[in-house]
Amino acid sequence: MKQDKKLMLGMTLLFFITFVSFGTLVVTEKLAPFYTDKIKDKITAYIKENYKEEQKNLTIGKVTYKLQKYQAKVYNKNNKNLYFNVTYQNKKITDTYQKDYLEGKTLLTTTEKNLEQKIKKELNKKVTITFPLTLDKYTTQIKETLINNDLENINLYNINLSITSPLETSAIVENIEKTATELRTIKINPNHYNIKITNKNENKKLTINNLTQQTLQKYTLTQIINDIMNNNESDIIKTNNISYQYSNKGE
């Protein structure tokens, strides 16, 4: 009997603890959204303390609560695509400032996608745009240009694209020039071009990397393509750090 009573008492105590814990959790979850204003004040204080120089350029978005943590986006006042996340959980604040904001991951990724979509929409060409540097590696003037989304007159990003052409010098030059001209008409001015050239009637493709606006000039481009077709590692190819590779389709 004593053993049964101890067992019953233990089960009752366990039930009580579980009930109280669950009840506390439910109450906490129900009330948590009502504390967002207080959490925003904490985030504001955190920004002022940790990012004194940058805070004048920042604005804090809506604080949300989910999965037992509060989160808010902190935006650049001039471009909402440049932002970082701040998380408040267990009385501690963490953020993604370094990667998302200082290095500009959110801004550069969005800009890349926007440029790709623009080319797809206006030229029906599928390309890949990449910025070779993080935002903090650029000069103050270039940073402002990126934040203001004024990319028409500067060459900052690289483009990877494919064209179809016979693997013959004059045809390749003509098709590359045509593609570059089409891109310029919609204000797309890459820094470097990486071009994959395929021929419908052959089982080979040629990839050329590191062409620039300067090396796309007709005389220079013709010389480069001619040297590539003749497998001649000429000074013009070496000086401009151009690389190329033949491969089979599908590779």
Side-chain angles (χ1 to χ4, degrees):
M1 286 292 291
K2 288 184 178 181
Q3 191 66 29
D4 290 342
K5 286 183 178 180
K6 286 182 179 180
L7 182 61
M8 285 292 294
L9 182 61
M11 291 178 63
T12 301
L13 184 59
L14 178 61
F15 174 79
F16 178 75
I17 293 172
T18 303
F19 178 79
V20 171
S21 299
F22 180 74
T24 302
L25 180 61
V26 169
V27 171
T28 301
E29 289 294 311
K30 291 289 185 181
L31 293 178
F34 296 102
Y35 290 99
T36 53
D37 288 342
K38 289 185 177 181
I39 301 303
K40 189 168 186 175
D41 290 340
K42 291 180 182 293
I43 291 175
T44 301
Y46 173 85
I47 297 297
K48 288 181 178 179
E49 181 180 352
N50 290 276
Y51 306 114
K52 294 177 182 178
E53 294 184 7
E54 187 63 23
Q55 64 169 314
K56 63 181 180 296
N57 299 317
L58 301 174
T59 180
I60 301 172
K62 182 181 178 181
V63 177
T64 60
Y65 180 82
K66 188 177 181 181
L67 300 176
Q68 299 181 23
K69 61 185 177 183
Y70 296 88
Q71 284 187 314
K73 282 185 170 64
V74 182
Y75 302 92
N76 181 280
K77 289 180 178 178
N78 295 317
N79 192 328
K80 285 197 170 184
N81 291 323
L82 178 58
Y83 65 87
F84 62 100
N85 292 300
V86 178
T87 301
Y88 180 88
Q89 187 176 29
N90 298 327
K91 299 183 179 180
K92 291 182 179 180
I93 296 180
T94 57
D95 67 59
T96 61
Y97 178 86
Q98 176 70 31
K99 193 168 192 65
D100 285 343
Y101 192 89
L102 187 63
E103 296 179 11
K105 180 183 177 182
T106 55
L107 175 64
L108 297 180
T109 299
T110 301
T111 304
E112 289 167 354
K113 289 181 179 178
N114 288 344
L115 290 171
E116 290 169 0
Q117 289 171 0
K118 178 180 179 180
I119 296 169
K120 177 65 176 176
K121 179 180 179 181
E122 300 195 28
L123 299 180
N124 195 29
K125 292 183 182 295
K126 186 177 180 181
V127 306
T128 301
I129 299 290
T130 55
F131 283 87
L133 301 177
T134 54
L135 188 63
D136 55 319
K137 296 296 192 297
Y138 292 110
T139 64
T140 300
Q141 183 177 357
I142 291 179
K143 285 180 190 176
E144 291 177 357
T145 298
L146 282 165
I147 292 172
N148 293 327
N149 199 32
D150 185 18
L151 302 176
E152 292 185 0
N153 299 312
I154 56 174
N155 314 120
L156 290 178
Y157 48 87
N158 301 333
I159 187 169
N160 286 47
L161 57 88
S162 298
I163 63 173
T164 301
S165 172
L167 295 182
E168 183 270 327
T169 298
S170 60
I172 292 174
V173 170
E174 181 182 346
N175 281 289
I176 290 178
E177 283 187 322
K178 178 184 176 183
T179 300
T181 299
E182 289 174 341
L183 291 170
R184 283 194 290 270
T185 60
I186 60 170
K187 310 296 184 182
I188 299 295
N189 297 293
N191 184 30
H192 292 94
Y193 295 75
N194 301 313
I195 304 176
K196 187 181 296 181
I197 305 160
T198 58
N199 186 345
K200 291 181 180 179
N201 301 319
E202 295 182 20
N203 195 37
K204 282 189 175 182
K205 65 183 179 183
L206 170 64
T207 301
I208 306 174
N209 298 316
N210 221 32
L211 292 172
T212 64
Q213 298 290 344
Q214 289 70 37
T215 54
L216 287 181
Q217 301 299 318
K218 184 162 188 174
Y219 176 80
T220 304
L221 181 61
T222 301
Q223 185 178 350
I224 290 170
I225 300 302
N226 187 62
D227 288 339
I228 289 174
M229 298 304 295
N230 289 289
N231 202 27
N232 176 23
E233 291 288 337
S234 61
D235 288 340
I236 193 170
I237 288 178
K238 293 176 182 177
T239 301
N240 290 284
N241 297 314
I242 295 170
S243 64
Y244 61 93
Q245 180 182 12
Y246 285 98
S247 57
N248 294 322
K249 288 182 180 178
E251 291 182 356

Coordinates of all heavy atoms in Angstrom, one line a residue, residues 141-223:
Q141 N 32.6 56.0 -52.7 CA 31.9 56.5 -53.8 C 31.1 55.3 -54.6 O 30.0 55.5 -54.9 CB 32.8 57.2 -54.8 CG 32.1 57.8 -56.0 CD 33.0 58.5 -57.0 OE1 34.2 58.7 -56.7 NE2 32.5 59.0 -58.1
I142 N 31.8 54.2 -54.7 CA 31.2 53.1 -55.4 C 30.1 52.5 -54.5 O 29.0 52.0 -55.0 CB 32.2 52.0 -55.8 CG1 33.1 52.5 -56.9 CG2 31.6 50.7 -56.2 CD1 34.2 51.6 -57.3
K143 N 30.3 52.4 -53.2 CA 29.3 51.9 -52.3 C 28.0 52.8 -52.5 O 26.9 52.2 -52.5 CB 29.7 52.1 -50.8 CG 30.8 51.0 -50.4 CD 31.1 51.3 -48.9 CE 32.3 50.4 -48.5 NZ 32.7 50.7 -47.1
E144 N 28.2 54.1 -52.5 CA 27.0 55.0 -52.7 C 26.3 54.7 -54.0 O 25.1 54.7 -54.1 CB 27.4 56.4 -52.6 CG 27.9 56.8 -51.1 CD 28.4 58.3 -51.1 OE1 28.4 58.9 -52.1 OE2 28.7 58.7 -50.0
T145 N 27.1 54.4 -55.0 CA 26.5 54.1 -56.3 C 25.7 52.9 -56.3 O 24.6 52.8 -56.9 CB 27.7 54.0 -57.4 OG1 28.4 55.2 -57.5 CG2 27.1 53.6 -58.7
L146 N 26.2 51.9 -55.6 CA 25.5 50.6 -55.5 C 24.2 50.8 -54.6 O 23.1 50.3 -55.0 CB 26.4 49.5 -54.8 CG 27.4 48.9 -55.8 CD1 28.5 48.2 -54.9 CD2 26.7 47.9 -56.7
I147 N 24.3 51.5 -53.6 CA 23.2 51.7 -52.7 C 22.1 52.5 -53.4 O 20.9 52.3 -53.3 CB 23.6 52.4 -51.4 CG1 24.4 51.5 -50.5 CG2 22.4 52.9 -50.6 CD1 25.1 52.1 -49.3
N148 N 22.5 53.5 -54.3 CA 21.6 54.3 -55.0 C 21.1 53.6 -56.3 O 20.3 54.2 -57.1 CB 22.2 55.6 -55.4 CG 22.4 56.5 -54.1 OD1 21.7 56.4 -53.2 ND2 23.5 57.3 -54.1
N149 N 21.6 52.4 -56.5 CA 21.2 51.6 -57.7 C 21.5 52.3 -59.0 O 20.7 52.2 -59.9 CB 19.7 51.2 -57.6 CG 19.4 50.0 -58.5 OD1 20.2 49.1 -58.7 ND2 18.2 50.0 -59.0
D150 N 22.6 53.0 -59.1 CA 23.0 53.7 -60.3 C 24.1 53.0 -61.0 O 25.3 53.4 -60.9 CB 23.4 55.1 -59.9 CG 23.7 56.0 -61.1 OD1 23.2 55.7 -62.2 OD2 24.4 57.1 -60.9
L151 N 23.8 51.9 -61.7 CA 24.8 51.0 -62.3 C 25.0 51.2 -63.7 O 25.8 50.5 -64.3 CB 24.4 49.6 -62.0 CG 24.1 49.2 -60.6 CD1 23.6 47.7 -60.5 CD2 25.4 49.3 -59.8
E152 N 24.4 52.2 -64.4 CA 24.4 52.3 -65.8 C 25.8 52.6 -66.4 O 26.2 52.2 -67.5 CB 23.4 53.3 -66.3 CG 21.9 52.8 -66.1 CD 20.9 53.8 -66.7 OE1 21.3 54.8 -67.3 OE2 19.7 53.5 -66.5
N153 N 26.5 53.4 -65.6 CA 27.8 53.9 -66.2 C 29.0 53.4 -65.5 O 30.1 54.0 -65.7 CB 27.8 55.5 -66.1 CG 26.6 56.1 -66.9 OD1 26.4 55.8 -68.0 ND2 25.9 57.0 -66.2
I154 N 28.9 52.3 -64.8 CA 30.1 51.7 -64.1 C 30.1 50.2 -64.4 O 29.1 49.6 -64.6 CB 30.1 52.0 -62.6 CG1 28.8 51.5 -62.0 CG2 30.3 53.4 -62.3 CD1 28.8 51.5 -60.5
N155 N 31.4 49.7 -64.4 CA 31.6 48.3 -64.7 C 32.0 47.6 -63.4 O 33.2 47.6 -63.1 CB 32.6 48.1 -65.8 CG 32.4 49.0 -67.0 OD1 33.2 49.9 -67.3 ND2 31.3 48.9 -67.6
L156 N 31.1 47.0 -62.7 CA 31.4 46.4 -61.4 C 31.2 44.9 -61.4 O 31.9 44.2 -60.6 CB 30.5 47.0 -60.3 CG 30.8 48.5 -59.9 CD1 29.8 48.9 -58.8 CD2 32.3 48.6 -59.4
Y157 N 30.2 44.4 -62.1 CA 29.9 43.0 -62.0 C 30.3 42.2 -63.2 O 30.7 42.8 -64.3 CB 28.3 42.9 -61.9 CG 27.6 43.7 -63.0 CD1 27.3 43.2 -64.2 CD2 27.2 45.0 -62.7 CE1 26.6 43.9 -65.2 CE2 26.5 45.8 -63.7 CZ 26.2 45.2 -64.9 OH 25.6 46.0 -65.8
N158 N 30.4 40.9 -63.1 CA 30.8 40.0 -64.2 C 29.5 39.3 -64.7 O 28.5 39.1 -64.0 CB 31.8 39.0 -63.6 CG 33.0 39.6 -63.1 OD1 33.4 40.7 -63.5 ND2 33.7 39.0 -62.2
I159 N 29.6 38.9 -65.9 CA 28.5 38.2 -66.5 C 28.9 36.8 -67.2 O 30.0 36.8 -67.8 CB 27.8 39.1 -67.6 CG1 26.5 38.4 -68.1 CG2 28.7 39.4 -68.8 CD1 25.6 39.4 -69.0
N160 N 28.2 35.8 -66.9 CA 28.4 34.5 -67.6 C 27.2 34.3 -68.5 O 26.0 34.4 -68.1 CB 28.4 33.4 -66.5 CG 29.7 33.4 -65.7 OD1 30.1 34.4 -65.2 ND2 30.3 32.2 -65.6
L161 N 27.5 34.0 -69.8 CA 26.4 33.8 -70.7 C 26.9 32.8 -71.8 O 28.0 32.4 -71.9 CB 26.1 35.1 -71.4 CG 27.2 35.9 -72.1 CD1 27.3 35.5 -73.5 CD2 26.9 37.4 -72.0
S162 N 25.9 32.4 -72.6 CA 26.1 31.4 -73.7 C 25.7 32.0 -75.0 O 24.7 32.7 -75.0 CB 25.4 30.1 -73.4 OG 25.9 29.5 -72.2
I163 N 26.4 31.7 -76.1 CA 26.0 32.1 -77.4 C 26.2 30.8 -78.3 O 26.9 29.9 -78.0 CB 26.8 33.3 -78.0 CG1 28.3 32.9 -78.1 CG2 26.6 34.5 -77.1 CD1 29.1 34.0 -78.8
T164 N 25.4 30.9 -79.4 CA 25.5 29.8 -80.4 C 26.3 30.4 -81.6 O 25.9 31.4 -82.1 CB 24.2 29.3 -80.8 OG1 23.5 28.8 -79.7 CG2 24.3 28.2 -81.9
S165 N 27.3 29.7 -82.0 CA 28.1 30.3 -83.2 C 29.0 29.2 -83.7 O 29.5 28.3 -83.0 CB 29.0 31.4 -82.7 OG 29.9 31.8 -83.7
P166 N 29.2 29.2 -85.1 CA 30.3 28.3 -85.6 C 31.6 28.6 -84.9 O 31.9 29.8 -84.6 CB 30.3 28.7 -87.1 CG 28.9 29.3 -87.4 CD 28.6 30.0 -86.1
L167 N 32.4 27.6 -84.7 CA 33.7 27.8 -84.1 C 34.7 28.2 -85.1 O 35.6 27.5 -85.5 CB 34.1 26.5 -83.3 CG 33.2 26.1 -82.2 CD1 33.8 24.8 -81.5 CD2 33.1 27.2 -81.2
E168 N 34.5 29.5 -85.5 CA 35.4 30.1 -86.6 C 35.5 31.5 -86.2 O 34.6 32.2 -85.7 CB 34.7 29.9 -87.9 CG 35.5 30.4 -89.1 CD 35.2 31.8 -89.4 OE1 34.0 32.2 -89.2 OE2 36.1 32.6 -89.8
T169 N 36.7 32.1 -86.4 CA 37.1 33.4 -85.8 C 36.0 34.5 -86.2 O 35.5 35.2 -85.3 CB 38.4 33.8 -86.3 OG1 39.4 32.9 -85.9 CG2 38.8 35.2 -85.8
S170 N 35.8 34.7 -87.4 CA 34.9 35.9 -87.8 C 33.5 35.7 -87.2 O 32.8 36.6 -86.8 CB 34.8 36.0 -89.3 OG 34.3 34.8 -89.9
A171 N 33.0 34.4 -87.2 CA 31.6 34.2 -86.7 C 31.6 34.4 -85.2 O 30.6 35.0 -84.7 CB 31.2 32.7 -87.1
I172 N 32.6 34.0 -84.5 CA 32.6 34.2 -83.0 C 32.7 35.6 -82.7 O 32.0 36.1 -81.8 CB 33.8 33.4 -82.4 CG1 33.6 31.9 -82.5 CG2 34.0 33.8 -81.0 CD1 34.8 31.1 -82.1
V173 N 33.6 36.4 -83.4 CA 33.7 37.8 -83.2 C 32.3 38.5 -83.4 O 31.9 39.3 -82.6 CB 34.8 38.4 -84.1 CG1 34.7 40.0 -84.0 CG2 36.2 37.9 -83.7
E174 N 31.7 38.2 -84.5 CA 30.4 38.8 -84.9 C 29.4 38.5 -83.8 O 28.6 39.4 -83.4 CB 30.0 38.3 -86.2 CG 28.6 38.9 -86.7 CD 28.2 38.3 -88.0 OE1 29.0 37.6 -88.7 OE2 27.0 38.5 -88.4
N175 N 29.3 37.3 -83.3 CA 28.3 36.9 -82.3 C 28.5 37.5 -81.0 O 27.6 37.9 -80.3 CB 28.1 35.4 -82.3 CG 27.3 34.8 -83.4 OD1 26.1 35.0 -83.5 ND2 28.0 34.2 -84.3
I176 N 29.8 37.6 -80.6 CA 30.1 38.2 -79.3 C 29.8 39.7 -79.4 O 29.2 40.3 -78.5 CB 31.6 38.0 -79.0 CG1 31.9 36.6 -78.6 CG2 32.0 38.9 -77.8 CD1 33.3 36.2 -78.3
E177 N 30.2 40.4 -80.5 CA 29.9 41.8 -80.6 C 28.4 42.1 -80.6 O 28.0 43.1 -80.0 CB 30.5 42.3 -82.0 CG 32.0 42.5 -81.9 CD 32.5 43.2 -83.2 OE1 31.9 42.8 -84.3 OE2 33.4 44.0 -83.2
K178 N 27.7 41.2 -81.3 CA 26.2 41.4 -81.3 C 25.6 41.3 -79.9 O 24.8 42.1 -79.5 CB 25.6 40.3 -82.2 CG 24.1 40.4 -82.3 CD 23.5 39.2 -83.1 CE 22.0 39.2 -83.1 NZ 21.4 38.1 -83.9
T179 N 26.1 40.3 -79.2 CA 25.6 40.1 -77.8 C 25.9 41.3 -76.9 O 25.1 41.8 -76.1 CB 26.1 38.8 -77.2 OG1 25.7 37.7 -78.0 CG2 25.6 38.6 -75.8
A180 N 27.2 41.8 -77.0 CA 27.6 42.9 -76.2 C 26.9 44.2 -76.5 O 26.5 44.9 -75.6 CB 29.1 43.1 -76.4
T181 N 26.6 44.4 -77.8 CA 25.8 45.5 -78.2 C 24.4 45.5 -77.7 O 23.8 46.5 -77.2 CB 25.8 45.6 -79.8 OG1 27.1 45.8 -80.3 CG2 24.9 46.8 -80.2
E182 N 23.8 44.3 -77.7 CA 22.4 44.1 -77.2 C 22.4 44.5 -75.7 O 21.4 45.1 -75.2 CB 21.9 42.7 -77.4 CG 21.6 42.4 -78.9 CD 21.3 40.9 -79.1 OE1 21.6 40.1 -78.2 OE2 20.6 40.6 -80.1
L183 N 23.4 44.0 -75.0 CA 23.5 44.3 -73.5 C 23.6 45.8 -73.3 O 23.0 46.3 -72.4 CB 24.6 43.5 -72.9 CG 24.4 42.0 -72.8 CD1 25.7 41.3 -72.4 CD2 23.3 41.6 -71.8
R184 N 24.5 46.4 -74.1 CA 24.7 47.9 -73.9 C 23.4 48.7 -74.1 O 23.2 49.7 -73.5 CB 25.8 48.4 -74.8 CG 27.2 48.0 -74.2 CD 28.3 48.8 -74.9 NE 28.4 48.4 -76.3 CZ 29.3 47.4 -76.7 NH1 30.0 46.8 -75.8 NH2 29.3 47.1 -78.0
T185 N 22.6 48.2 -75.1 CA 21.3 48.9 -75.4 C 20.4 49.0 -74.2 O 19.5 49.9 -74.1 CB 20.6 48.3 -76.6 OG1 20.3 47.0 -76.3 CG2 21.5 48.4 -77.8
I186 N 20.5 48.0 -73.3 CA 19.6 48.0 -72.1 C 20.4 48.4 -70.8 O 20.1 48.0 -69.7 CB 18.9 46.7 -71.9 CG1 19.9 45.5 -71.7 CG2 18.0 46.4 -73.1 CD1 19.2 44.2 -71.3
K187 N 21.5 49.1 -71.1 CA 22.4 49.7 -70.0 C 23.0 48.6 -69.1 O 23.2 48.7 -67.9 CB 21.5 50.6 -69.1 CG 20.7 51.6 -69.8 CD 21.6 52.6 -70.6 CE 20.7 53.7 -71.2 NZ 21.6 54.7 -72.0
I188 N 23.4 47.5 -69.7 CA 24.1 46.4 -69.0 C 25.6 46.5 -69.5 O 25.9 46.3 -70.6 CB 23.5 45.0 -69.3 CG1 22.1 44.9 -68.9 CG2 24.4 43.9 -68.7 CD1 21.9 45.0 -67.4
N189 N 26.4 46.9 -68.5 CA 27.9 47.1 -68.8 C 28.7 46.3 -67.8 O 29.2 46.8 -66.9 CB 28.2 48.6 -68.7 CG 27.5 49.4 -69.8 OD1 27.7 49.2 -71.0 ND2 26.6 50.3 -69.3
P190 N 28.9 45.0 -68.1 CA 29.7 44.2 -67.2 C 31.2 44.6 -67.2 O 31.7 45.2 -68.1 CB 29.5 42.8 -67.8 CG 28.4 42.8 -68.7 CD 28.4 44.2 -69.2
N191 N 31.9 44.1 -66.1 CA 33.3 44.3 -66.0 C 34.0 43.2 -66.8 O 34.9 43.5 -67.6 CB 33.7 44.3 -64.5 CG 35.2 44.6 -64.4 OD1 35.8 45.3 -65.2 ND2 35.8 44.0 -63.3
H192 N 33.6 42.0 -66.6 CA 34.2 40.8 -67.3 C 33.1 40.0 -67.9 O 32.0 39.8 -67.3 CB 35.0 40.0 -66.3 CG 36.3 40.7 -65.9 ND1 36.4 41.4 -64.7 CD2 37.5 40.8 -66.4 CE1 37.6 41.9 -64.5 NE2 38.3 41.5 -65.6
Y193 N 33.4 39.4 -69.0 CA 32.5 38.5 -69.7 C 33.1 37.1 -69.7 O 34.3 37.0 -70.1 CB 32.3 38.9 -71.2 CG 31.6 40.2 -71.4 CD1 32.3 41.5 -71.2 CD2 30.3 40.3 -71.9 CE1 31.7 42.7 -71.5 CE2 29.7 41.5 -72.2 CZ 30.4 42.7 -72.0 OH 29.7 43.9 -72.2
N194 N 32.4 36.1 -69.3 CA 32.7 34.7 -69.4 C 31.7 34.1 -70.4 O 30.5 34.0 -70.1 CB 32.7 34.0 -68.1 CG 33.7 34.7 -67.1 OD1 34.8 35.0 -67.4 ND2 33.2 35.0 -65.9
I195 N 32.2 33.7 -71.5 CA 31.3 33.3 -72.6 C 31.5 31.9 -73.0 O 32.6 31.4 -73.3 CB 31.5 34.2 -73.8 CG1 31.3 35.7 -73.4 CG2 30.5 33.9 -74.9 CD1 31.5 36.7 -74.5
K196 N 30.4 31.1 -73.0 CA 30.4 29.7 -73.5 C 29.8 29.7 -74.9 O 28.7 30.1 -75.2 CB 29.6 28.9 -72.6 CG 29.7 27.4 -72.9 CD 28.8 26.6 -71.9 CE 29.3 26.7 -70.5 NZ 28.5 25.9 -69.5
I197 N 30.6 29.2 -75.9 CA 30.2 29.2 -77.3 C 30.0 27.8 -77.7 O 30.8 26.9 -77.6 CB 31.3 29.9 -78.2 CG1 31.7 31.3 -77.6 CG2 30.9 29.9 -79.6 CD1 33.0 31.8 -78.1
T198 N 28.8 27.6 -78.2 CA 28.4 26.2 -78.7 C 28.1 26.3 -80.2 O 27.5 27.3 -80.7 CB 27.3 25.6 -77.9 OG1 26.1 26.5 -78.0 CG2 27.6 25.4 -76.5
N199 N 28.3 25.2 -80.9 CA 28.0 25.1 -82.3 C 27.0 24.0 -82.5 O 27.2 22.8 -82.1 CB 29.3 24.8 -83.1 CG 29.0 24.8 -84.6 OD1 27.8 24.8 -85.1 ND2 30.1 24.9 -85.4
K200 N 25.8 24.3 -83.1 CA 24.8 23.3 -83.2 C 25.2 22.1 -84.0 O 24.8 20.9 -83.8 CB 23.6 23.9 -83.9 CG 22.8 24.9 -83.1 CD 21.6 25.5 -83.9 CE 20.9 26.5 -83.0 NZ 19.7 27.0 -83.8
N201 N 26.2 22.3 -84.9 CA 26.5 21.2 -85.8 C 27.8 20.4 -85.4 O 28.3 19.5 -86.1 CB 26.8 21.7 -87.2 CG 25.5 22.4 -87.8 OD1 24.4 21.9 -87.6 ND2 25.7 23.5 -88.4
E202 N 28.4 20.8 -84.3 CA 29.6 20.2 -83.8 C 29.4 19.7 -82.3 O 28.5 20.2 -81.6 CB 30.8 21.1 -83.9 CG 31.2 21.5 -85.3 CD 32.4 22.4 -85.3 OE1 33.1 22.4 -84.3 OE2 32.6 23.1 -86.3
N203 N 30.2 18.8 -81.9 CA 30.0 18.3 -80.5 C 31.0 18.9 -79.6 O 31.3 18.4 -78.5 CB 30.2 16.7 -80.5 CG 29.8 16.1 -79.2 OD1 28.7 16.5 -78.7 ND2 30.5 15.1 -78.8
K204 N 31.5 20.1 -80.0 CA 32.4 20.8 -79.1 C 31.9 22.2 -78.7 O 31.1 22.8 -79.4 CB 33.8 21.0 -79.8 CG 34.7 19.7 -79.9 CD 36.0 20.1 -80.4 CE 36.9 18.9 -80.4 NZ 38.3 19.2 -80.8
K205 N 32.4 22.7 -77.6 CA 32.1 24.0 -77.2 C 33.4 24.7 -76.7 O 34.3 24.0 -76.3 CB 31.0 24.0 -76.1 CG 31.5 23.4 -74.8 CD 30.3 23.4 -73.8 CE 30.7 22.7 -72.5 NZ 29.6 22.6 -71.5
L206 N 33.4 26.0 -76.8 CA 34.6 26.8 -76.4 C 34.1 27.8 -75.3 O 33.1 28.5 -75.5 CB 35.1 27.6 -77.6 CG 36.2 28.6 -77.3 CD1 37.4 28.0 -76.8 CD2 36.5 29.4 -78.6
T207 N 34.8 27.8 -74.2 CA 34.6 28.8 -73.1 C 35.7 29.7 -73.0 O 36.9 29.3 -72.9 CB 34.4 28.0 -71.8 OG1 33.3 27.1 -71.9 CG2 34.1 29.0 -70.7
I208 N 35.4 31.0 -73.1 CA 36.4 32.1 -73.0 C 36.1 32.9 -71.7 O 34.9 33.4 -71.6 CB 36.4 33.0 -74.2 CG1 36.5 32.1 -75.5 CG2 37.5 34.0 -74.1 CD1 36.4 32.9 -76.8
N209 N 37.1 33.1 -70.9 CA 36.9 33.8 -69.6 C 37.7 35.1 -69.6 O 38.8 35.2 -70.2 CB 37.3 33.0 -68.4 CG 36.4 31.7 -68.3 OD1 35.2 31.8 -68.4 ND2 37.1 30.6 -68.1
N210 N 37.1 36.1 -69.0 CA 37.8 37.4 -68.6 C 37.9 38.4 -69.8 O 38.8 39.2 -69.8 CB 39.2 37.1 -68.1 CG 39.6 38.0 -66.9 OD1 38.7 38.4 -66.2 ND2 40.9 38.3 -66.8
L211 N 37.0 38.3 -70.7 CA 36.9 39.4 -71.7 C 36.4 40.6 -71.0 O 35.6 40.5 -70.1 CB 36.0 39.0 -72.9 CG 36.5 37.8 -73.8 CD1 35.4 37.4 -74.8 CD2 37.8 38.2 -74.5
T212 N 36.9 41.8 -71.5 CA 36.5 43.1 -70.9 C 35.9 44.0 -71.9 O 36.0 43.7 -73.1 CB 37.7 43.7 -70.2 OG1 38.7 44.1 -71.2 CG2 38.3 42.8 -69.1
Q213 N 35.5 45.2 -71.5 CA 35.0 46.2 -72.5 C 36.1 46.6 -73.4 O 35.9 46.8 -74.6 CB 34.5 47.4 -71.7 CG 33.3 47.2 -70.8 CD 32.0 46.9 -71.5 OE1 31.9 47.1 -72.7 NE2 31.0 46.3 -70.8
Q214 N 37.3 46.6 -72.9 CA 38.5 47.0 -73.8 C 38.8 45.9 -74.8 O 39.0 46.2 -76.0 CB 39.7 47.3 -72.9 CG 39.6 48.6 -72.1 CD 38.6 48.5 -70.9 OE1 38.5 47.4 -70.3 NE2 37.9 49.5 -70.7
T215 N 38.8 44.7 -74.3 CA 39.2 43.6 -75.3 C 38.0 43.2 -76.2 O 38.2 42.4 -77.1 CB 39.6 42.3 -74.5 OG1 38.6 41.9 -73.6 CG2 40.9 42.6 -73.7
L216 N 36.9 43.8 -76.0 CA 35.8 43.6 -77.0 C 35.8 44.5 -78.2 O 35.0 44.4 -79.1 CB 34.4 43.8 -76.3 CG 34.0 42.7 -75.3 CD1 32.6 42.9 -74.7 CD2 34.0 41.3 -76.0
Q217 N 36.8 45.4 -78.2 CA 37.0 46.3 -79.4 C 37.3 45.3 -80.6 O 38.1 44.4 -80.4 CB 38.1 47.3 -79.2 CG 37.9 48.2 -78.0 CD 36.7 49.1 -78.2 OE1 36.4 49.6 -79.3 NE2 35.9 49.3 -77.1
K218 N 36.7 45.6 -81.7 CA 36.7 44.6 -82.8 C 38.1 44.1 -83.2 O 38.4 42.9 -83.3 CB 36.1 45.2 -84.1 CG 36.0 44.2 -85.2 CD 34.9 44.5 -86.2 CE 34.7 43.4 -87.2 NZ 33.6 43.6 -88.2
Y219 N 39.1 45.1 -83.4 CA 40.4 44.6 -83.8 C 41.1 43.8 -82.7 O 41.6 42.7 -83.0 CB 41.3 45.9 -84.1 CG 42.7 45.5 -84.4 CD1 43.1 45.1 -85.7 CD2 43.7 45.6 -83.4 CE1 44.4 44.8 -86.0 CE2 45.0 45.2 -83.7 CZ 45.4 44.8 -85.0 OH 46.7 44.5 -85.3
T220 N 40.9 44.2 -81.5 CA 41.5 43.4 -80.4 C 40.8 42.1 -80.2 O 41.5 41.1 -80.0 CB 41.4 44.2 -79.1 OG1 42.0 45.5 -79.2 CG2 42.1 43.5 -77.9
L221 N 39.5 42.1 -80.3 CA 38.8 40.8 -80.1 C 39.1 39.9 -81.2 O 39.3 38.7 -81.0 CB 37.3 41.1 -80.1 CG 36.3 39.9 -79.9 CD1 36.6 39.2 -78.6 CD2 34.9 40.4 -80.0
T222 N 39.2 40.4 -82.5 CA 39.6 39.5 -83.6 C 40.9 38.8 -83.4 O 41.1 37.6 -83.6 CB 39.6 40.3 -84.9 OG1 38.3 40.9 -85.1 CG2 39.9 39.4 -86.1
Q223 N 41.9 39.6 -82.9 CA 43.2 39.1 -82.6 C 43.2 38.0 -81.6 O 43.8 37.0 -81.7 CB 44.2 40.2 -82.2 CG 45.6 39.8 -82.1 CD 46.5 40.9 -81.7 OE1 46.1 42.1 -81.8 NE2 47.8 40.6 -81.4

